Amino acid sequence: DEFAAREFDHCSFFSPSGADRLVHPRLIAGQDVGWTDKTGLMRTWAETDRAAMVWVRDAEGGNERAIVI
């Protein structure tokens, strides 16, 4: 609920699956990782029931891993 309430207009998200959870998005070979906005991320979680580990990309292009509980 707290994640849904926060503003993340300046961020993009990537919700990896399987072994890709351990790999930085720039190192996932041969695929566009599909960055999305907060609404798209929450829709992905609702449709796939994935774990809440995400990569967050800020407006400057920096990336960090986060876990939403």
Side-chain angles (χ1 to χ4, degrees):
D1 292 334
E2 184 179 336
F3 179 82
R6 292 194 57 197
E7 294 292 325
F8 290 101
D9 295 336
H10 63 284
C11 296
S12 298
F13 301 91
F14 168 55
S15 182
S17 61
D20 287 343
R21 289 185 180 129
L22 302 175
V23 180
H24 194 282
R26 285 181 281 169
L27 301 176
I28 298 175
Q31 56 180 300
D32 175 14
V33 297
W35 292 95
T36 188
D37 61 8
K38 182 179 87 169
T39 302
L41 175 67
M42 294 180 71
R43 185 176 24 251
T44 297
W45 285 343
E47 293 171 356
T48 63
D49 196 31
R50 280 192 193 161
M53 186 282 192
V54 297
W55 283 96
V56 182
R57 180 172 62 185
D58 62 25
E60 291 81 38
N63 298 301
E64 69 179 273
R65 191 176 359 201
I67 297 176
V68 179
I69 52 172

